[in-house]
Amino acid sequence: ELLIEKNEEVDFHLEPFASTSSAWTPHPKPRSSLREKRLRENTFDPLRLSDASAAKSPNAVRPAAVVLASALPLIATPSVASAATAFAPNAPGAALAAYGHYIALIGMLGCIMVERLTIKPNMNDAEEDAIAAADIGLGIFGVLIAYTGYLRAVEFEKGFAFYSHEPLFWIKVAFVGVFGASSFFNTVIIIQRALAKREGKLQPMGEKLSKRMIQICNAELTAIAIIPLTATFMARGVGYSEDIPWQAEAALAALIFGGLSFKYVKEALTFEENPTLLESSE
């Protein structure tokens, strides 16, 4: 009896600990619920279309899906779709002008590269024809880029009221003037050689002239690399100022273009290989 009473006392004292231990003992969560929670946190689903509760009943109608489906006719409505271009006046014209501008830039780069890689001393007839065709293409693309650039600066984009007070715009125009003026040297030389070839009086190109024409091509490539850089800063209003009169900036850009044009055309018309001087010195 004493043993039984002791055992009962032990059971009596252990029973509270057994009952209370289940209260604070942590219960492990099922792995499936943790996996689903992590999946929901890492998945972009603002409408909760991939809710696990909906996956259990495939025939259930999801309210979020109903709302999305009902919005599709509104999205396809022309009046609603045109709201995206409500603040873009004459968007098709602006897009075509920009496309023509980019195509002209790529075309000019290709023509200059043809000249740069073809010009050399003692070119044959095929190479002479190649640089002549490349220079014609350069002129055509140059007219296109000037026309589309005018449209983008005056008719489209931010308008001339913005660009006229942007000093980088006039710096860009000055670089364009340097590019165009320097190209006159190669153009004049190529025209002279094409006329001489037609008359049967073409002389082989010397090393001095070929080096000078290659220098011009390198300068043109450098200008093509700099001009788009100034355009990106210009379009974002970097350096915008209304304190400087735009007429003065425009006059400076025109003066640069006119002066350099005269210089390079004169250099091309008066350029000489001086073979007689070389022979006499030898």
Side-chain angles (χ1 to χ4, degrees):
E1 292 179 358
L2 181 59
L3 181 60
I4 293 174
E5 289 178 357
K6 288 183 179 180
N7 290 336
E8 288 178 353
E9 289 178 2
V10 171
D11 294 336
F12 173 78
H13 291 292
L14 291 177
E15 184 177 359
F17 291 100
S19 60
T20 57
S21 63
S22 61
W24 56 266
T25 302
H27 297 281
K29 294 183 179 180
R31 291 180 176 235
S32 60
S33 62
L34 291 175
R35 189 181 298 108
E36 292 173 359
K37 181 178 179 182
R38 292 174 182 174
L39 182 61
R40 286 195 301 269
E41 291 176 352
N42 297 329
T43 303
F44 179 76
D45 190 9
L47 297 179
R48 302 186 67 83
L49 298 178
S50 60
D51 196 353
S53 61
K56 294 180 181 178
S57 56
N59 296 327
V61 179
R62 303 175 186 177
V66 174
V67 173
L68 181 61
S70 62
L72 290 177
L74 295 177
I75 298 175
T77 304
S79 60
V80 178
S82 62
T85 58
F87 299 98
N90 202 1
L96 290 176
Y99 180 75
H101 205 64
Y102 303 146
I103 289 296
L105 181 63
I106 296 173
M108 292 175 66
L109 178 61
C111 292
I112 296 172
M113 287 302 302
V114 170
E115 292 186 12
R116 174 65 179 80
L117 298 176
T118 306
I119 294 175
K120 62 182 180 180
N122 302 318
M123 290 187 295
N124 55 35
D125 291 344
E127 293 169 336
E128 294 280 354
D129 293 339
I131 64 172
D135 199 69
I136 293 174
L138 180 61
I140 294 174
F141 285 120
V143 172
L144 178 60
I145 201 171
Y147 176 68
T148 54
Y150 170 80
L151 291 179
R152 300 190 73 194
V154 177
E155 300 293 335
F156 307 118
E157 305 301 334
K158 297 178 178 64
F160 188 72
F162 170 81
Y163 294 120
S164 61
H165 297 290
E166 174 57 74
L168 286 177
F169 171 76
W170 297 110
I171 293 176
K172 174 190 171 183
V173 173
F175 276 120
V176 172
V178 173
F179 172 86
S182 62
S183 67
F184 288 157
F185 180 88
N186 284 2
T187 298
V188 172
I189 294 295
I190 291 173
I191 292 175
Q192 287 178 335
R193 296 185 65 81
L195 294 176
K197 180 183 176 183
R198 182 178 299 179
E199 297 174 359
K201 301 179 180 179
L202 180 64
Q203 298 293 328
M205 180 175 289
E207 184 176 355
K208 179 181 177 182
L209 179 58
S210 63
K211 285 183 177 180
R212 181 56 176 156
M213 295 181 70
I214 290 175
Q215 289 177 352
I216 296 296
C217 291
N218 293 336
E220 291 173 339
L221 292 174
T222 303
I224 284 185
I226 295 176
I227 291 171
L229 178 63
T230 59
T232 55
F233 284 99
M234 168 201 73
R236 287 156 180 81
V238 177
Y240 181 89
S241 176
E242 297 183 358
D243 298 333
I244 305 175
W246 68 267
Q247 294 87 350
E249 296 173 314
L252 180 60
L255 183 62
I256 292 174
F257 174 71
L260 290 179
S261 297
F262 177 78
K263 172 187 179 300
Y264 285 110
V265 170
K266 181 180 178 180
E267 180 184 0
L269 294 175
T270 59
F271 191 89
E272 294 181 359
E273 289 282 356
N274 294 328
T276 55
L277 294 179
L278 292 177
E279 291 176 358
S280 61
S281 63
E282 292 176 355

